[in-house]
Amino acid sequence: MDLNRFNSRQRQAITHVGSPLLVLAGAGSGKTSVITHKIAWLIQEIGISARHITAVTFTNKASREMRERINHIAPKDQIRGLTISTFHSFGLNLLRRESYEAGLKSGFSILDTEDSKTILSDLLRRESIEDRDIVSGVQQTISTWKNHGLSPDQTQSHTKDPKFVLAANTYIEYERYLKACNAVDFDDLILKPVKLFRSNPTILAKWKTKIRYLLVDEYQDTNGIQYELVKLLTQISGALTVVGDDDQSIYAWRGAQPENLKELSNDFTTLKVIKLEQNYRSTRIILETANTLISNNPHIFEKVLWSDKGFGELIQILPTSTDEDEAERVASMILERKLNYKKQFSDFAVLYRSNKQARILEFKLQHFKIPYKLSGGTSFFARSEIRDLMAYLRLLINPDDDNALLRIINVPRRRIGPTTLEVLGGYAQERHKSLYSCIPEMGLTTRLDPEATRRLSQFYDLVEGAKHNLVLGRGIQAIDGLLDDINYRNWLSDQSASESMADHRWGNVTQLLEALRKDLKGNPNEMLNEDETNSDDSVIEIAIRKLVLGDILEQEEEEDHSDRVQLSTLHAAKGLEFPDVFLVGAEEELLPHKNSIETDSIEEERRLMYVGVTRAKQNLTITYARKRKQFGELLETTPSRFLDELPEEYLHWQGKTEQDPEVVRKKGQDSLAALHTLIKGESA
């Protein structure tokens, strides 16, 4: 393998074997290229079969990128059997293969965050607790315990604090519920494999034989239980490479422990550390500014990024009068730079700390017809009301869909509790049938009290009635009737923070029904291709499948390369790069965030600022508003403390040496008008 295009440290990282390796990879240092070439090196030069190599990361996007890279490096026959996945996909695959040993039956359901919250809400309601904040707090506490590998029994003596006692008691009932339903939640996808490995040395040995080399990307984002999984698989063999950067650890709020980098040295005594400090992305000014900023944080490992891409442009610090002026100036500068420097809209990114900052930015970009894409938005099909309706539809066309049944059996609330579901689940397991198909069986009714039987029967009759209407070809009428029968609109009102929110959510439901109606209107076969018309699937089945496909395509579209300005939170921008970056809202209580100030977690906020700075390749503009609208009124703000930590010699403060913000604002408005006129003239 030719490694001449790599620098000396990159080559060391690619070729090092024989002991565990930590690659401390700074922003823009080519870590993805290093990790993919190392996989190829292990296969081609070391002779490890691809089926014995596993690489894990945290996002599907990162996993896809890694796989695409390796496909261009090594022939297909060499990489056949290679595992590249997220941590949770890896855990899911393991549990599917070892379901019996893990205490699960095949076909177990996976509950997402919303599903888990619904279950916890029902459990806490028995304690007369309906406060959403308490439910969210209990959910977060249980998730934290699972990420630290704690079982319900271990949390019972965890603390005497009433809120933790409540969480611990709820944890017991929650796990009982999951077992009854043959279900796992998101955290279980890592916790259960770890528990299985701890308790079953034979299974662990089997997987250590399968995984002869493990690579972990974004290692600074691992939590306690993920690190435990890594140790169990590799601690003895040492066949491990991890890639990480403690300066880019920005996910403490979801359990990430950057100190896991330090623990590596303790747990793997022969650990080799290689630092990748050459940056291939940014100018010298941007990098030295980032280095100066992050030097205010304590470090596990010291490193200093450098670049040979030239000195570059000074970083612009732009104060504005208000947040509206801020958005207008950003729009103006994007248009100006696009025209003056022949740039594409896709060269620009606007980054912010909080999603709520996007609203005014969107308004201004729309007003001046600047195309943009928004990262981090909720997919239409990810909304809870749409998931509810889709679960009903899935159950109508496939009564054996246990996951769909578990989603909606208590939506709206039917008081079908965990005891009933435990009996139903056990009976279905004995009969090797789906949950739904067992409800009318006489054998089940003998195990339940009359009230539980009645509630299950009511649910069954409801679904059967809707199924009957579908068979008669009354698709939309069947669904409309079902929603009326369960009084779903009132349920949304009860579950929403306000009536306007309830109306919005009901609007999403009607939007989905309208999409179905369009497909089913007139001659239903018009929407079918030749294969579909010859299939045994019902028209409504095909319509539903098309809707799901539409959502998948919509999500794919979010990752396209069309010519649009990128709007993104700082968290979502990690791993991305742009020639021109605007970092907006550099104000106290925004960046750093108010919550971080109150909890004294400024270091993570500084790392977040560092991530934002290092997204820029050529130009970086940092803005702040002297007044920002909050709760309907303009309130005074204070510039972020991080601005004072930046090297003054690399900054150009607009308004300090030139004009005051009001003059600059007026100039920007005039510029916008002129540029907009010019663009209209060019497109005419």
Side-chain angles (χ1 to χ4, degrees):
M1 180 186 296
D2 184 10
L3 302 180
N4 287 329
R5 72 180 184 88
F6 294 97
N7 65 44
S8 60
R9 291 187 181 178
Q10 289 175 326
R11 288 195 297 273
Q12 288 178 48
I14 292 170
T15 60
H16 177 82
V17 292
S19 69
L21 173 66
L22 164 62
V23 182
L24 197 68
S29 61
K31 70 175 180 67
T32 304
S33 188
V34 166
I35 200 169
T36 49
H37 277 80
K38 175 142 198 176
I39 292 170
W41 180 269
L42 291 169
I43 296 170
Q44 297 172 357
E45 305 297 331
I46 306 301
I48 302 176
S49 171
R51 63 191 178 91
H52 292 308
I53 298 173
T54 293
V56 292
T57 187
F58 282 86
T59 66
N60 288 324
K61 182 181 178 183
S63 177
R64 282 197 304 272
E65 182 183 359
M66 203 180 294
R67 185 167 290 282
E68 288 167 3
R69 294 268 194 108
I70 195 69
N71 283 338
H72 287 95
I73 298 171
K76 286 186 178 180
D77 61 324
Q78 289 187 0
I79 59 174
R80 190 173 292 113
L82 173 67
T83 297
I84 299 177
S85 73
T86 65
F87 263 104
H88 292 90
S89 294
F90 173 81
L92 174 60
N93 180 52
L94 190 151
L95 289 178
R96 282 175 173 161
R97 296 176 65 171
E98 311 291 352
S99 57
Y100 178 78
E101 297 293 344
L104 299 164
K105 68 173 183 176
S106 61
F108 60 87
S109 301
I110 305 167
L111 307 182
D112 65 12
T113 302
E114 286 301 315
D115 295 331
S116 298
K117 184 173 284 188
T118 299
I119 295 168
L120 290 169
S121 295
D122 288 340
L123 293 174
L124 288 167
R125 194 171 288 109
R126 299 178 191 175
E127 306 297 324
S128 300
I129 297 171
E130 300 199 25
D131 188 298
R132 291 188 180 89
D133 290 338
I134 294 177
V135 175
S136 295
V138 168
Q139 184 179 33
Q140 183 58 52
T141 300
I142 292 174
S143 178
T144 300
W145 283 335
K146 286 194 173 189
N147 289 333
H148 284 86
L150 298 175
S151 66
D153 291 341
Q154 290 173 308
T155 64
Q156 287 300 295
S157 59
H158 197 72
T159 181
K160 293 183 179 179
D161 188 316
K163 68 179 181 182
F164 287 113
V165 171
L166 174 65
N169 292 334
T170 307
Y171 190 7
I172 293 174
E173 291 300 310
Y174 176 64
E175 287 299 291
R176 183 184 168 207
Y177 188 103
L178 294 183
K179 186 175 181 180
C181 299
N182 190 40
V184 297
D185 64 19
F186 197 63
D187 296 318
D188 285 329
L189 295 176
I190 309 297
L191 178 59
K192 284 189 175 295
V194 168
K195 284 185 171 180
L196 178 60
F197 286 163
R198 287 172 180 166
S199 63
N200 195 321
T202 303
I203 297 291
L204 175 58
K206 171 183 162 183
W207 280 83
K208 288 169 77 170
T209 300
K210 172 179 168 49
I211 302 173
R212 297 181 187 174
Y213 205 100
L214 179 66
L215 303 100
V216 184
D217 193 17
E218 302 289 1
Y219 192 73
Q220 76 282 346
D221 294 334
T222 56
N223 59 33
I225 202 68
Q226 288 163 341
Y227 182 34
E228 182 72 12
L229 181 66
V230 171
K231 282 197 296 183
L232 284 165
L233 287 168
T234 63
Q235 196 166 18
I236 294 175
S237 70
L240 171 69
T241 290
V242 304
V243 182
D245 181 8
D246 55 332
D247 289 334
Q248 297 188 73
S249 180
I250 57 175
Y251 295 114
W253 51 275
R254 69 183 189 196
Q257 298 176 187
E259 58 268 26
N260 286 347
L261 287 166
K262 183 178 181 181
E263 291 300 314
L264 279 168
S265 302
N266 300 326
D267 295 324
F268 297 85
T269 55
T270 58
L271 180 74
K272 183 176 180 62
V273 179
I274 296 175
K275 300 177 184 179
L276 303 185
E277 295 173 298
Q278 182 175 358
N279 176 287
Y280 293 91
R281 173 187 301 159
S282 307
T283 64
R284 178 182 160 189
I285 278 184
I286 291 171
L287 288 183
E288 293 195 10
T289 299
N291 288 334
T292 302
L293 172 70
I294 206 64
S295 67
N296 291 278
N297 273 8
H299 284 78
I300 301 169
F301 300 98
E302 295 292 336
K303 70 177 187 307
V304 178
L305 295 182
W306 63 276
S307 170
D308 60 4
K309 287 192 169 293
F311 201 71
E313 300 291 330
L314 292 175
I315 293 169
Q316 302 291 312
I317 309 295
L318 175 61
T320 62
S321 299
T322 67
D323 50 348
E324 185 172 354
D325 295 335
E326 179 184 55
E328 196 163 280
R329 287 300 315 280
V330 169
S332 170
M333 293 173 75
I334 289 173
L335 283 175
E336 186 177 3
R337 291 178 186 177
K338 181 182 187 301
L339 289 172
N340 290 343
Y341 300 102
K342 308 299 182 185
K343 290 179 175 267
Q344 302 295 310
F345 282 120
S346 56
D347 291 333
F348 299 92
V350 186
L351 311 180
Y352 39 83
R353 176 64 176 84
S354 174
N355 272 311
K356 63 185 181 183
Q357 293 172 259
R359 297 169 191 162
I360 192 166
L361 289 163
E362 285 192 85
F363 176 79
K364 289 297 181 183
L365 293 175
Q366 288 171 1
H367 181 74
F368 291 103
K369 296 181 171 54
I370 298 174
Y372 68 90
K373 53 184 173 181
L374 186 67
S375 290
T378 303
S379 162
F380 180 75
F381 278 67
R383 294 173 169 89
S384 62
E385 61 274 13
I386 300 302
R387 288 172 57 80
D388 289 344
L389 183 52
M390 289 300 296
Y392 271 107
L393 294 177
R394 284 162 42 205
L395 192 64
L396 289 178
I397 64 175
N398 177 20
D400 292 332
D401 190 335
D402 283 358
N403 201 22
L405 181 143
L406 291 172
R407 167 92 193 174
I408 46 83
I409 196 163
N410 277 306
V411 176
R413 198 172 303 119
R414 299 184 177 91
R415 297 171 63 199
I416 300 173
T419 301
T420 301
L421 290 175
E422 185 174 14
V423 173
L424 175 61
Y427 182 81
Q429 191 167 6
E430 290 174 15
R431 298 274 289 143
H432 303 290
K433 298 174 67 175
S434 69
L435 298 174
Y436 182 83
S437 64
C438 289
I439 292 176
E441 293 192 1
M442 187 64 70
L444 177 65
T445 62
T446 62
R447 303 186 186 188
L448 295 170
D449 62 59
E451 184 60 22
T453 300
R454 184 185 68 80
R455 290 170 184 161
L456 279 176
S457 296
Q458 284 182 334
F459 173 74
Y460 184 84
D461 292 343
L462 177 83
V463 176
E464 284 297 301
K467 283 172 61 183
H468 179 69
N469 281 325
L470 286 184
V471 171
L472 297 177
R474 298 193 290 261
I476 293 298
Q477 297 95 318
I479 299 164
D480 283 336
L482 177 65
L483 292 174
D484 285 342
D485 289 343
I486 65 176
N487 208 358
Y488 188 71
R489 188 163 190 176
N490 281 355
W491 163 258
L492 286 181
S493 294
D494 293 340
Q495 298 299 305
S496 301
S498 66
E499 199 56 40
S500 62
M501 176 59 71
D503 290 342
H504 179 75
R505 295 176 69 187
W506 179 251
N508 291 333
V509 172
T510 58
Q511 185 179 339
L512 177 64
L513 292 178
E514 184 59 31
L516 271 175
R517 189 174 282 108
K518 284 181 180 178
D519 275 346
L520 298 171
K521 188 176 180 181
N523 180 6
N525 287 333
E526 287 181 3
M527 70 174 196
L528 308 180
N529 61 37
E530 186 177 350
D531 291 337
E532 290 171 329
T533 45
N534 293 327
S535 76
D536 294 329
D537 295 336
S538 70
V539 173
I540 193 157
E541 250 186 294
I542 297 167
I544 293 168
R545 189 179 302 124
K546 284 180 176 288
L547 286 173
V548 175
L549 178 61
D551 178 58
I552 294 169
L553 294 174
E554 179 186 310
Q555 293 180 51
E556 290 295 324
E557 193 177 47
E558 293 177 2
E559 298 177 10
D560 68 13
H561 301 288
S562 59
D563 189 25
R564 294 184 285 174
V565 175
Q566 178 77 61
L567 299 184
S568 173
T569 64
L570 287 162
H571 284 99
K574 187 179 169 195
L576 304 178
E577 58 183 45
F578 304 90
D580 265 87
V581 169
F582 292 85
L583 206 169
V584 302
E587 301 146 25
E588 290 291 297
E589 300 193 353
L590 196 52
L591 182 66
H593 196 274
K594 182 180 179 181
N595 294 341
S596 300
I597 296 172
E598 292 173 350
T599 58
D600 196 26
S601 46
I602 299 298
E603 290 174 9
E604 175 142 340
E605 292 291 296
R606 187 175 286 110
R607 290 195 291 268
L608 198 55
M609 178 83 169
Y610 174 86
V611 166
V613 170
T614 54
R615 297 313 92 194
K617 297 168 71 174
Q618 298 163 6
N619 296 293
L620 173 64
T621 303
I622 303 174
T623 71
Y624 66 91
R626 291 199 168 104
K627 291 183 179 179
R628 187 170 296 274
K629 186 171 285 188
Q630 298 180 56
F631 312 110
E633 62 176 313
L634 279 173
L635 301 178
E636 297 279 349
T637 69
T638 303
S640 171
R641 69 189 70 187
F642 298 147
L643 295 177
D644 295 329
E645 297 175 1
L646 306 181
E648 188 69 32
E649 65 270 26
Y650 296 146
L651 308 180
H652 176 69
W653 287 76
Q654 294 190 28
K656 273 192 175 181
T657 57
E658 300 173 358
Q659 304 141 323
D660 66 37
E662 191 59 32
V663 173
V664 173
R665 184 183 71 82
K666 180 63 169 65
K667 181 181 177 183
Q669 286 180 325
D670 294 341
S671 178
L672 259 178
L675 288 166
H676 194 237
T677 301
L678 179 61
I679 288 174
K680 286 178 68 177
E682 285 186 348
S683 61

